[in-house]
């Protein structure tokens, strides 16, 4: 078997992303959407599709979708309609899903993705625009549970009718890595907008990936397959990588890609066929007769626009300007909205942007990585942590003591100052304690004193080191330096 030259091919990828919205009630019924309730307790006859029930559109579903549309530079339709998407499945007792088809509420936008690694280690990152074809509103189905009863599939309909948006991209993505970056960007945007928690592992963000390959430089796209069942960002990247290889190998053997839907198997790390185009559903879409057209007024658009938060790219530039930090640091701090909020609160309580960014970028991020937790699960509040920065800025502790106190704060209650005291780490700024040590060190090193007085001023570091050692690191180094200098100047 010859080796395949992958550079002869280029992949084309388009993603369909579903986001579960954080509204309090369902899309068309006044029932709670809260996650984790006992099965089938968050229901009305409407969710079950009983005849005689009428859906009522949740205003927040419309507002949240417009928010996403504005944040991704979409055009917002002033009038759009809902449609029925018909199919049979046990978790869909109505027999149809309310969705949008021909007139989505938002269309024609874009999302900018950044490739940090494009220019190598310190090189510039590159930016690329990915077109957003459409964003539409729909409702979720219920959940089939296959692993709780040995003989039967159980159905929980709490999720039936929970509002979703579907974001469809143009086929603008070219590599699995770009698809990964695009998804990360969507997660970041929905979190900044607070319309979805963006958690792919828990299913509040889901992704179907369409992928084809073509000879590099070709103008005509190849036949695509659609990948489903990927429950993490990394799995989307892996599944696409696997599928691109499979398609290239197939073409190289003289075969043809068949349009079909594939399932990703995360254990075997491969894709397998789920259904072919012939078996695809015919959804028999038609306009939903029970919901009037969705009209977006000027007032509504203005209100939603006024609610838009500062977006990550803008916030990054502000951090660079206001706090005088590098693009990379500002980016790391603004990647996650809640990390950026935490950092800004820390700046407020401590008054020192430089110390706050140092602490967050090194110690706080280290702990988040080690424990695989998000900043919202971080055990120390920004107020408490501000106290630690104050201690250091006031020169009451040295830098290694600061790290020790930080670690203690993760495990124990109490203010930074109380912990410093109980750990015996408070720096001594009392000349009465330091002076005798300084005198002793000078007396024991007549040679060094002589050389210092002859002009070898660099030796001051040696004397400071000696004094710090004898004070077990507790003497305030600035005061130590001052006292040594004045003693050595005396003759
Ligand atoms: P469908 O109606 O079957 O869902 P769409 O035209 O809506 O098809 O496309 C679905 C997704 O597939 C979009 O994200 C689009 O960018 C992507 N797509 C379309 N054609 C191709 C192709 N040849 N290769 C890869 N992705 C594609
Ligand atoms: Mg589609």
């Amino acid at each position: 078997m010859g080796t395949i030259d992958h550079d002869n091919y280029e992949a084309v990828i388009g993603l369909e992303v579903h986001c579960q919205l954080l509204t309090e009630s369902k899309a068309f019924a006044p029932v709670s959407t809260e996650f984790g309730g006992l099965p089938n307790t968050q229901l009305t006859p409407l969710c079950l599709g009983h005849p005689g029930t009428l859906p009522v559109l949740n205003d927040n579903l419309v507002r949240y979708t417009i928010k996403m549309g504005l944040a991704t530079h979409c055009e917002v339709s002033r009038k759009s309609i809902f449609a029925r998407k018909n199919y049979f499945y046990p978790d869909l007792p109505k027999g149809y899903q309310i969705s949008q088809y021909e007139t989505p509420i938002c269309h024609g936008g874009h999302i900018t993705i950044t490739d940090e690694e494009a220019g190598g280690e310190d090189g510039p990152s590159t930016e690329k625009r990915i077109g957003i074809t459409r964003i539409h509103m729909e409702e979720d189905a219920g959940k089939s549970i296959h692993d709780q009863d040995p003989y039967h599939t159980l159905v929980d309909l709490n999720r039936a009718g929970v509002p979703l948006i579907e974001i469809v991209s143009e086929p603008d993505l070219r590599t699995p890595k770009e698809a990964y970056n695009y998804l990360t960007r969507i997660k970041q945007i929905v979190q900044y907008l607070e319309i979805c928690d963006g958690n792919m592992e828990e299913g509040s963000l889901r992704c179907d990936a369409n992928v084809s390959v073509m000879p590099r430089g070709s103008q005509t796209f190849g036949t695509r397959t659609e990948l489903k069942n990927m429950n993490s960002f990394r799995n989307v990247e892996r599944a696409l990588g696997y599928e691109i290889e499979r398609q290239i190998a197939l073409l190289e053997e003289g075969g043809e890609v068949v349009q079909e839907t594939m399932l990703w198997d995360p254990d075997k790390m491969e894709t397998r066929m789920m259904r072919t185009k012939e078996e695809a559903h015919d959804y028999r879409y038609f306009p939903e007769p029970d919901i009037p057209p969705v009209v977006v007024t000027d007032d509504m658009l203005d209100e939603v626009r006024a609610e838009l938060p500062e977006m990550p790219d803008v916030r990054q530039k502000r951090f660079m300007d206001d706090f005088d930090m590098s693009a990379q640091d500002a980016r790391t701090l603004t990647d996650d909205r809640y990390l950026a909020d935490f950092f800004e609160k820390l700046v407020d309580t401590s008054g020192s942007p430089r110390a706050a960014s140092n602490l967050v970028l090194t110690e706080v991020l280290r702990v988040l990585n080690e424990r695989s937790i998000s900043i919202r699960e971080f055990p120390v509040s920004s107020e408490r942590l501000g106290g630690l920065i104050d201690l250091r800025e006031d020169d009451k502790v040295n830098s290694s003591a600061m790290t020790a106190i930080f670690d203690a704060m993760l495990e124990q209650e109490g203010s930074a100052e109380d912990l410093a005291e109980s750990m015996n780490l408070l720096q001594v700024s009392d000349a009465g304690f330091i002076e005798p040590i300084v005198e002793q060190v000078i007396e024991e090193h007549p040679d060094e004193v002589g050389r210092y007085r002859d002009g070898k001023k660099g030796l001051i570091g040696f004397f400071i080191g000696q004094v710090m050692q004898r004070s077990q690191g507790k003497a305030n180094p600035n005061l130590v330096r001052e006292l040594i200098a004045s003693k050595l100047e005396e003759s």
Side-chain angles (χ1 to χ4, degrees):
M1 207 177 102
T3 49
I4 299 171
D5 189 355
H6 296 266
D7 286 347
N8 292 337
Y9 290 92
E10 187 167 29
V12 172
I13 301 165
L15 300 184
E16 295 166 279
V17 177
H18 284 92
C19 302
Q20 209 175 66
L21 297 181
L22 290 167
T23 58
E24 279 173 26
S25 55
K26 291 189 179 181
F28 308 106
V31 191
S32 170
T33 54
E34 202 171 331
F35 184 77
L38 282 175
N40 299 311
T41 55
Q42 287 151 221
L43 287 179
T44 59
L46 190 107
C47 309
L48 302 170
H50 286 189
T53 57
L54 277 176
V56 179
L57 175 59
N58 181 342
D59 196 41
N60 277 335
L61 164 54
V62 179
R63 285 170 186 270
Y64 285 16
T65 314
I66 296 176
K67 242 187 196 184
M68 188 62 185
L70 291 176
T72 53
H73 314 278
C74 282
E75 196 154 319
V76 179
S77 304
R78 292 315 187 94
K79 194 172 170 186
S80 66
I81 62 162
F82 281 101
R84 287 190 185 178
K85 179 179 180 179
N86 300 281
Y87 64 94
F88 175 75
Y89 206 72
D91 63 17
L92 189 75
K94 287 209 298 251
Y96 62 88
Q97 201 180 357
I98 303 177
S99 181
Q100 292 197 295
Y101 188 53
E102 276 165 359
T103 57
I105 186 165
C106 301
H107 59 95
H110 67 263
I111 286 177
T112 305
I113 58 168
T114 317
D115 187 353
E116 297 289 353
E117 289 146 30
E121 191 101 312
D122 300 310
S125 52
T126 57
E127 293 196 334
K128 177 173 172 181
R129 271 190 185 186
I130 306 304
I132 301 297
T133 316
R134 56 187 280 155
I135 304 177
H136 68 248
M137 306 181 275
E138 59 184 34
E139 61 175 338
D140 212 343
K143 217 182 222 166
S144 299
I145 303 163
H146 305 287
D147 58 1
Q148 289 200 4
D149 184 287
Y151 304 109
H152 301 100
T153 289
L154 306 179
V155 175
D156 175 11
L157 293 174
N158 284 354
R159 205 178 66 181
V162 167
L164 303 175
I165 53 174
E166 178 172 343
I167 307 159
V168 181
S169 86
E170 289 291 307
D172 289 343
L173 299 157
R174 289 291 172 271
T175 63
K177 180 77 193 170
E178 280 185 3
Y180 178 89
N181 289 340
Y182 170 84
L183 280 174
T184 321
R185 185 62 99 182
I186 289 199
K187 172 178 172 166
Q188 187 189 42
I189 295 171
V190 296
Q191 284 185 340
Y192 262 77
L193 298 175
E194 294 183 297
I195 60 171
C196 167
D197 65 27
N199 193 325
M200 197 160 174
E201 283 77 3
E202 286 173 10
S204 44
L205 193 147
R206 295 165 226 158
C207 172
D208 298 336
N210 300 270
V211 56
S212 61
V213 298
M214 60 183 179
R216 187 167 293 280
S218 165
Q219 301 295 315
T220 320
F221 293 167
T223 304
R224 68 184 148 116
T225 57
E226 181 171 359
L227 312 181
K228 288 182 178 290
N229 198 39
M230 299 150 301
N231 61 354
S232 74
F233 293 89
R234 283 290 166 219
N235 275 340
V236 173
E237 193 181 358
R238 286 191 195 112
L240 282 168
Y242 178 89
E243 181 61 14
I244 291 168
E245 294 300 305
R246 190 189 70 85
Q247 290 186 13
I248 293 176
L250 199 59
L251 295 180
E252 285 284 312
E253 284 169 10
E256 263 179 43
V257 176
V258 181
Q259 185 167 348
E260 57 191 2
T261 303
M262 326 269 297
L263 281 185
W264 169 248
D265 184 333
D267 296 322
K268 292 197 182 132
M269 300 268 271
E270 62 185 33
T271 53
R272 63 186 149 79
M273 212 251 283
M274 180 179 141
R275 60 169 177 254
T276 62
K277 196 185 177 189
E278 285 69 41
E279 300 163 284
H281 294 296
D282 173 1
Y283 292 119
R284 293 169 289 120
Y285 281 100
F286 64 86
E288 164 62 61
D290 290 339
I291 304 175
V294 182
V295 174
V296 178
T297 61
D298 286 343
D299 283 352
M300 192 168 185
L301 262 187
D302 289 343
E303 278 167 33
V304 175
R305 198 171 276 124
E307 282 170 17
L308 286 179
E310 184 182 34
M311 296 309 285
D313 45 345
V314 180
R315 198 171 195 183
Q316 182 192 1
K317 298 221 163 66
R318 178 168 63 80
F319 278 17
M320 290 164 67
D321 292 342
D322 289 5
F323 305 133
D324 193 26
M325 57 173 74
S326 70
Q328 180 57 53
D329 286 353
R331 174 163 197 103
T332 309
L333 288 172
T334 52
D335 256 351
D336 173 341
R337 171 190 183 146
Y338 302 104
L339 186 70
D341 289 348
F342 185 92
F343 163 72
E344 287 211 82
K345 271 197 220 124
L346 193 57
V347 172
D348 284 346
T349 47
S350 70
S352 172
R354 187 194 43 78
S357 65
N358 278 343
L359 194 59
V360 173
L361 289 170
T362 56
E363 302 300 325
V364 176
L365 285 183
R366 171 178 61 81
V367 173
L368 299 187
N369 279 333
E370 281 169 6
R371 301 188 178 185
S372 296
I373 55 171
S374 79
I375 187 67
R376 285 193 284 178
E377 299 155 281
F378 187 67
V380 188
S381 71
S382 48
E383 288 77 15
R384 254 181 99 207
L385 209 55
L388 178 60
I389 292 181
D390 289 344
L391 271 191
R392 175 73 189 116
E393 295 282 297
D394 297 345
D395 234 345
K396 289 186 181 155
V397 295
N398 63 31
S399 60
S400 61
M402 185 178 179
T403 312
I405 299 164
F406 175 85
D407 287 337
M409 290 176 92
L410 298 171
E411 312 300 336
Q412 299 169 42
E413 302 284 309
S415 71
E417 182 140 27
D418 290 345
L419 286 170
E421 196 163 343
S422 66
M423 293 163 78
N424 201 17
L425 289 172
L426 280 178
Q427 229 163 229
V428 181
S429 296
D430 172 4
F433 165 77
I434 301 171
E435 229 173 314
I437 307 178
V438 169
E439 277 164 6
Q440 197 186 2
V441 167
I442 286 179
E443 205 176 290
E444 287 174 18
H445 296 90
D447 281 1
E448 283 82 358
V449 172
R451 277 157 60 209
Y452 180 90
R453 289 187 173 144
D454 287 343
K456 265 202 94 77
K457 300 291 181 206
L459 276 170
I460 186 125
F462 165 78
F463 291 107
I464 296 173
Q466 290 290 317
V467 175
M468 291 308 292
Q469 209 175 0
R470 285 178 205 206
S471 76
Q472 279 146 358
K474 284 165 70 180
N476 175 338
N478 291 329
L479 188 55
V480 170
R481 172 183 290 272
E482 245 171 65
L483 290 173
I484 293 172
S486 78
K487 286 266 181 272
L488 289 174
E489 298 309 328
E490 296 168 5
S491 31

